[in-house]
Amino acid sequence: MIQNIIKGINGYSGAFALISKLKLWKYFFIPIIISILTATVIGFTTYGLSDNVGQFIAKIWFWEWGKQTFTTISTVIGAIIIIALGIILYKHIIMALSAPFMSPVSEKIETHLTGVVKHNHRQTSFQEQLWRGIRINIRNLGRELLITMPILLLKFIPVINIFSTALLIMVQSYYAGFGNMDYTLERHFNYKDSVKFVRDNRGLAIGNGLVFILFLFIPIIGVILVLPLSVTAATITTAKRLKPENQNII
């Protein structure tokens, strides 16, 4: 698990150079626009809601003693909840809408890595790639929210809330990496088999997604580069892992 997480992270080491070498930046133009617009809308929305959520949580404390302290803690927890939910929505929206643009880019990268020009891959249209992206991300969104909500409740328990933050990041990372890996997997597997592949290689997904999440905390540059670099890194690690399972990859 730890080794796979490291491999998922290491996939980023040559991502920027590979994109430049294959002249792929032009293919990322529309996904970058989608990323910027989505981040802007969700960013302003979460900023406006964070105080409201904090005030709502503060009302739970009926007593006068310690009310100020609880209100302060509630404001912080409210901000964390809104940021976490904002990141969840952001990544699933951009991954779903960018699927038809990212899948061809992923294929170009895989072709370069393997040296195999003619693949026996599944042939899918723009609409099919978009639908698959939407289907995968709606599935992942529902599951991630189901797991995330109980973790956020742990924020109210002292000491445990420290570990809950690490767990929250792991969950966020896994589903971010899942989406990035599926741009490659959609050519090799059907929906069910792709889910199984990522589950069996969850370390790769977490490693890739961890860097994805960290990128989002870099102002402006983060939302511009997050998709190009994370998709390229995921393609590199996924193509390597597919090698023993697919005779077309050498």
Side-chain angles (χ1 to χ4, degrees):
M1 179 72 156
I2 301 294
Q3 290 181 339
N4 280 339
I5 291 176
I6 294 173
K7 288 179 180 178
I9 295 173
N10 286 340
Y12 285 85
S13 61
F16 194 95
L18 185 59
I19 294 173
S20 299
K21 180 179 181 179
L22 300 182
K23 300 179 180 180
L24 298 176
W25 287 111
K26 59 185 177 182
Y27 296 100
F28 291 110
F29 179 74
I30 294 179
I32 287 175
I33 295 299
I34 293 173
S35 178
I36 293 173
L37 292 177
T38 304
T40 301
V41 173
I42 291 180
F44 279 111
T45 303
T46 54
Y47 179 78
L49 290 176
S50 59
D51 288 340
N52 295 333
V53 173
Q55 293 173 5
F56 176 79
I57 296 174
K59 292 180 181 179
I60 299 174
W61 193 267
F62 296 102
W63 304 274
E64 286 301 322
W65 62 272
K67 188 172 183 61
Q68 184 60 45
T69 301
F70 187 80
T71 300
T72 301
I73 294 173
S74 298
T75 301
V76 174
I77 293 176
I80 292 174
I81 291 174
I82 290 299
I83 290 173
L85 295 179
I87 291 176
I88 290 173
L89 288 174
Y90 164 80
K91 68 172 181 276
H92 289 299
I93 290 173
I94 65 169
M95 286 181 176
L97 298 182
S98 299
F101 306 99
M102 295 296 93
S103 292
V105 169
S106 174
E107 185 170 8
K108 290 179 182 295
I109 295 171
E110 185 179 353
T111 297
H112 170 76
L113 294 174
T114 62
V116 180
V117 178
K118 293 184 178 181
H119 292 277
N120 294 324
H121 291 161
R122 298 170 64 250
Q123 298 298 316
T124 53
S125 64
F126 182 97
Q127 290 80 6
E128 289 172 327
Q129 291 166 359
L130 178 61
W131 170 239
R132 166 140 172 165
I134 292 173
R135 185 184 178 192
I136 282 285
N137 282 280
I138 288 178
R139 171 207 180 266
N140 288 350
L141 174 61
R143 288 173 179 263
E144 187 172 359
L145 288 175
L146 200 61
I147 298 171
T148 298
M149 296 313 293
I151 295 176
L152 290 175
L153 293 177
L154 295 177
K155 290 293 178 187
F156 293 97
I157 305 176
V159 181
I160 293 180
N161 59 11
I162 298 175
F163 299 99
S164 68
T165 299
L167 185 58
L168 180 62
I169 293 174
M170 291 283 281
V171 172
Q172 290 256 8
S173 299
Y174 172 72
Y175 284 104
F178 191 134
N180 288 326
M181 291 173 68
D182 193 64
Y183 297 133
T184 301
L185 296 177
E186 68 93 16
R187 293 188 299 278
H188 297 273
F189 302 125
N190 59 29
Y191 176 90
K192 183 178 179 180
D193 290 337
S194 292
V195 171
K196 182 180 184 302
F197 180 91
V198 177
R199 188 182 296 123
D200 292 341
N201 296 277
R202 59 174 61 89
L204 293 180
I206 292 173
N208 178 271
L210 180 59
V211 180
F212 179 101
I213 298 300
L214 293 178
F215 258 106
L216 298 184
F217 290 95
I218 303 175
I220 303 176
I221 298 298
V223 297
I224 293 175
L225 295 180
V226 67
L227 263 181
L229 295 182
S230 62
V231 171
T232 302
T235 303
I236 292 172
T237 55
T238 304
K240 289 181 179 179
R241 187 53 55 93
L242 282 168
K243 182 178 179 179
E245 301 176 19
N246 194 306
Q247 297 302 314
N248 291 327
I249 296 180
I250 60 176

